[in-house]
Amino acid sequence: MSILNRLKSLLKEDKDETDINTDVSSTSDDVQVTSSIKENEPVDLETETVVEAEETTIEELEDSTEDLTSENIETEEEIIEDSSEEIVKEVETVEEETLAEAEIAEAETPAEIETEEDVEEVETDSKNNDTERDKMTLLTDKELLNDSNRDPDFTAAFIDAGIETVKHCFQCGTCSGSCPSGRRTPYKVRQIVRKCLLGLKEEVIADDALWMCTTCYTCQERCLRSVKIVDIIKKARNIAAHAGYMAKAHKMTGVYVLNTGHAVPINDKIKALRVKIGLPEVPPTTHFYPEALAEIKTLCKITEFDELIGYDEATGGLRE
């Protein structure tokens, strides 16, 4: 039992005895009751000692509480001061790093344009860059499309050749995105198809990119509108060839046809590969039937294909 509880119990017992004596004395005048604690009687030493001990303990507890509180406050103040110093140091470090980065950026930044001439040159360069990036469009800012630019017969040539699907193209770009040649050359099949539909003949047949198609049919197989894209390119090439536009590499292919009957002549490496995979060494063409080559040359002369490519029969090559 704690000291406080003992004091409470002692005080309660004294009070109870006093109440009992008072009640007894009030019931009868003859009965004399004496209090258990006399006024002049000295206080019990044990009780006084207990009270003093309790008071001392309370004072010590209060003193210790005050000490702990003051110590905690001092500790918290020290922590706050330390943290404040650390935050200040971090802020200063960040500011120093930011200033250093700004100095580096300024050092790497090119010199500012100071004269009006430089400003004009920059504006001109930007316009040229915009023009370069605008090659995906059919027209430039200085070019207007009117009847003088268009040739309706050029568009009609495709329709007359059975390529009515030229009108079905809605320029989705699937053909250009699928084209293997377009990834490595300036060839843009979507633009050529569009120009053929608009009748821009000279722009189509005079463009060297027209001859960069490998006729792999990837674009035609993936076309969402089933446009006969490769047939359009072939027809445009025929028109360009008759107009005097033909790449030398394609003329040389014609020379191989006239000399061997093949656009790609066979060689020893191909012969060995054919044998390795179980095929005859040469295919059943002019390589196996040389007499058929004469018939091919006759057909080329009748159709004037030899004149179209500039074939020189004496040399077996192209005329200079």
Side-chain angles (χ1 to χ4, degrees), residues 1 4-22 35-37 44 47:
M1 182 180 295
L4 292 174
N5 292 333
R6 288 183 61 190
L7 284 173
K8 288 179 181 179
S9 61
L10 289 173
L11 293 172
K12 187 176 180 182
E13 289 176 0
D14 293 340
K15 186 177 179 182
D16 292 339
E17 289 179 359
T18 305
D19 293 339
I20 291 169
N21 292 331
T22 304
S35 177
S36 60
I37 301 174
D44 191 0
T47 303

Side-chain angles (χ1 to χ4, degrees), residues 47 49 97 141 163 229 231:
T47 303
T49 304
E97 292 177 354
D141 295 337
I163 317 174
I229 301 172
D231 293 346

Side-chain angles (χ1 to χ4, degrees), residues 53-114:
E54 289 182 356
E55 291 176 353
T56 304
T57 305
I58 292 169
E59 291 176 355
E60 291 177 354
L61 288 172
E62 291 177 353
D63 295 337
S64 61
T65 304
E66 291 177 357
D67 295 337
L68 288 173
T69 305
S70 62
E71 289 177 0
N72 290 335
I73 291 171
E74 292 175 356
T75 306
E76 290 178 358
E77 289 178 352
E78 291 176 356
I79 292 170
I80 291 170
E81 289 177 357
D82 294 338
S83 61
S84 300
E85 291 177 358
E86 292 178 357
I87 291 170
V88 170
K89 289 180 180 179
E90 291 179 358
V91 170
E92 291 177 352
T93 304
V94 171
E95 289 179 352
E96 290 176 357
E97 292 177 354
T98 305
L99 290 173
E101 291 177 357
E103 291 176 357
I104 293 170
E106 289 177 359
E108 294 178 352
T109 304
E112 296 181 355
I113 300 169
E114 296 179 354

Side-chain angles (χ1 to χ4, degrees), residues 20 42 161 168 207 210 275:
I20 291 169
H168 299 171
D207 189 358
L210 179 64
V275 172

Side-chain angles (χ1 to χ4, degrees), residues 174-186:
T174 301
C175 54
S176 294
S178 304
C179 180
S181 180
R183 299 172 194 163
R184 298 170 176 83
T185 68

